[in-house]
Amino acid sequence: MSSAQGGADGSHRFAAGGEIPPLLAAAFAGGGEMGALLRDHDWSASPLGTPDHWPAALGNAISTMLASKAQIAMFWGEDLRAFYNDAYRPTIGDKHPAVLGQPAEEHWAETWDVLGPVLAGVLRGGEAYQGRDHHFLLDRHGFVEDVYFDVSYDPIRGADGSINGVICICSETTGRVLGERRLRALAELGSELPDPGGSAELGRVAAGVLDRHRPDVPFGLLYLRDTDGHLRLTGVSGAEPVAVGPSARLVEVAATGAGDVVATVDLLGHVPADAADEAVLLPISATNELAGVLVLGVARRLPFTGAYRTFFELVAAQVSRAVGKQRAYEQEQTRAAELAALDLAKTNFFANVSHEFRTPLTLVL
């Protein structure tokens, strides 16, 4: 039940009997969904008390926060009770609305070892903090996720100059950070894969590049067909080499070219600490034929989005390009050897013919 009651003049009265200050009334009215939620929330049981008793500094900060289109959260008091605006809501995901007015440490527990000292430093020292692409761990969709933000933490001062809270203006940069580091991985594959080279060298180089990018590819397995058509493990990154042969699903992907998502444990017999329970199987093609399968592990702390899947497909495309060049080179070498053998055979043939003609001619002369 709401603790607020509308007055005839449009103001609100709370359970404590006081009238909401005009500044807060206007802020709540124009603050979108979060403004309405703050207005209608039952504050009577909160240590903060009802809004008619909130300090002017808190009212001013909330008014600024709700009016802004930027992602803003604020933390008030020694226990850093959380407030946020509409723009900030996607940042905390499933934590909404339980986090509202609660101590931040309870709802940002997964990243408190990073966030806590920053907030405490601003609250107690008064020095603002700014970070670019700052890394946090955040559980907002049912799993702990790697996220990145441009952040600014600034002190909220009261009329007497004391610091009563911290206001945070942020902008999530996770998409850009992930995009840039995945582009680096693709660029390294493009520049370092042998051109041409044998299967063993290609697998070793591909595994070496992927091993430097474990935040996105916690493990990788590259299977390529040998000259007999059998799948052979040529490259391993982020995992112990698999002692058993390729699974039936791997063989099927190599035969049909249809990628799949399978359980990590079915491939490795265990799940690496930084990997999720699923891995992606992607076909490797070369010179218009299926040449193998690339297995890429999904990172435990990243959602498997469409962009993530596209990155995996581009990794497979880079490997396919290198395998294609290798196979084309091998075929060219084979053709060159066949032509050389044919040329030698022709030379020997004409030499023999010449010899056979020369002997009777000598006798006739």
Side-chain angles (χ1 to χ4, degrees):
M1 180 176 178
S2 171
S3 63
Q5 298 177 343
D9 59 355
S11 63
H12 288 78
R13 293 183 177 276
F14 290 80
E19 185 174 303
I20 185 171
L23 177 65
L24 275 177
F28 291 159
E33 185 177 341
M34 287 308 302
L37 188 61
L38 284 167
R39 180 194 63 211
D40 297 336
H41 185 75
D42 185 359
W43 296 101
S44 59
S46 170
L48 294 172
T50 53
D52 53 303
H53 290 105
W54 287 355
L58 176 56
N60 289 333
I62 286 178
S63 176
T64 299
M65 176 190 73
L66 291 176
S68 178
K69 299 298 184 183
Q71 298 177 55
I72 299 180
M74 52 171 288
F75 306 92
W76 183 262
E78 285 296 321
D79 52 358
L80 296 165
R81 293 184 176 267
F83 297 84
Y84 48 95
N85 62 4
D86 283 350
Y88 189 84
R89 275 192 54 188
T91 300
I92 57 172
D94 297 341
K95 295 178 185 291
H96 173 79
V99 66
L100 185 64
Q102 299 300 310
E105 187 174 4
E106 296 178 4
H107 293 274
W108 276 272
E110 68 275 12
T111 196
W112 196 247
D113 59 336
V114 174
L115 180 60
V118 172
L119 294 177
V122 178
L123 187 65
R124 297 188 175 92
E127 184 175 353
Y129 174 86
Q130 188 175 42
R132 181 170 176 79
D133 297 332
H134 197 299
H135 176 243
F136 295 96
L137 297 177
L138 196 57
D139 184 353
R140 54 184 176 180
H141 299 300
F143 70 99
V144 177
E145 181 182 353
D146 283 317
V147 294
Y148 299 85
F149 286 87
D150 287 344
V151 293
S152 174
Y153 294 94
D154 302 291
I156 302 172
R157 295 185 181 273
D160 61 355
S162 61
I163 300 172
N164 305 125
V166 180
I167 190 165
C168 170
I169 303 175
C170 63
S171 176
E172 185 167 359
T173 60
T174 303
R176 178 174 59 76
V177 171
L178 297 184
E180 288 178 354
R181 77 186 189 194
R182 290 168 183 174
L183 283 175
R184 286 195 297 272
L186 293 171
E188 290 172 19
L189 279 172
S191 63
E192 296 184 29
L193 284 175
D195 186 21
S199 295
E201 182 185 3
L202 192 152
R204 178 186 61 79
V205 174
V209 173
L210 294 179
D211 209 41
R212 298 198 297 267
H213 294 275
R214 288 198 190 181
D216 291 297
V217 189
F219 71 89
L221 308 170
L222 177 59
Y223 291 85
L224 294 176
R225 293 191 188 281
D226 60 17
T227 54
D228 296 326
H230 300 123
L231 287 176
R232 303 294 183 190
L233 183 62
T234 61
V236 180
S237 69
E240 294 297 324
V242 182
V244 297
S247 67
R249 191 68 194 96
L250 275 168
V251 174
E252 183 180 348
V253 171
T256 64
D260 198 5
V261 178
V262 299
T264 299
V265 69
D266 291 345
L267 297 167
L268 301 179
H270 68 287
V271 180
D274 53 353
D277 295 329
E278 294 181 331
V280 180
L281 309 184
L282 296 158
I284 297 300
S285 59
T287 60
N288 299 321
E289 64 181 13
L290 295 172
V293 180
L294 178 64
V295 180
L296 299 177
V298 178
R300 184 178 301 279
R301 297 196 309 223
L302 292 176
F304 191 53
T305 61
Y308 199 175
R309 173 81 187 212
T310 298
F311 165 65
F312 277 180
E313 291 171 349
L314 290 172
V315 170
Q318 288 279 47
V319 175
S320 292
R321 179 192 62 81
V323 174
K325 288 189 174 183
Q326 172 206 328
R327 296 296 168 88
Y329 177 76
E330 290 174 351
Q331 291 173 2
E332 185 63 30
Q333 292 293 96
T334 300
R335 284 195 294 270
E338 291 172 348
L339 289 173
L342 179 61
D343 186 62
L344 179 61
K346 287 192 296 183
T347 301
N348 291 335
F349 171 77
F350 286 118
N352 290 334
V353 169
S354 175
H355 174 75
E356 292 298 326
F357 274 108
R358 187 166 54 249
T359 298
L361 284 174
T362 300
L363 293 174
V364 169
L365 291 172

